[in-house]
Amino acid sequence: HDNSSALTLVQVCEEFEAVRRATEVLVSNVPADNWDFRGNANGMEVTPRAIAWMIAGHTEHHLRILEERYHPAAA
């Protein structure tokens, strides 16, 4: 069980920003010729390019959750 319900909005935003920046660094360091490399992730064939797209989509998912929980009037 996590303690996310005990975090302030500032803490949630700081954590989100830290993870986002780390992900940006990770993605920016993938060599150009490796984007289409095929590997296995949880039994599924996947490329770094596909994983980057999944991360971007997952970010949007979390942004919607933040909006719903911390600013429901705008949702």
Side-chain angles (χ1 to χ4, degrees), residues 1-66:
H1 184 71
D2 67 24
N3 71 334
S4 60
S5 61
L7 298 176
T8 67
L9 179 56
V10 170
Q11 290 171 313
V12 171
C13 290
E14 288 172 345
E15 183 176 335
F16 179 84
E17 179 65 22
V19 172
R20 182 175 173 85
R21 301 267 301 134
T23 303
E24 289 171 350
V25 171
L26 175 70
V27 169
S28 71
N29 287 320
V30 174
D33 59 341
N34 286 4
W35 280 106
D36 295 315
F37 173 80
R38 295 191 179 277
N40 184 306
N42 200 29
M44 301 288 292
E45 187 176 280
V46 68
T47 65
R49 184 182 315 281
I51 291 171
W53 279 97
M54 286 183 242
I55 290 169
H58 197 74
T59 299
E60 292 300 316
H61 164 75
H62 281 280
L63 287 173
R64 280 193 303 276
I65 289 173
L66 287 172

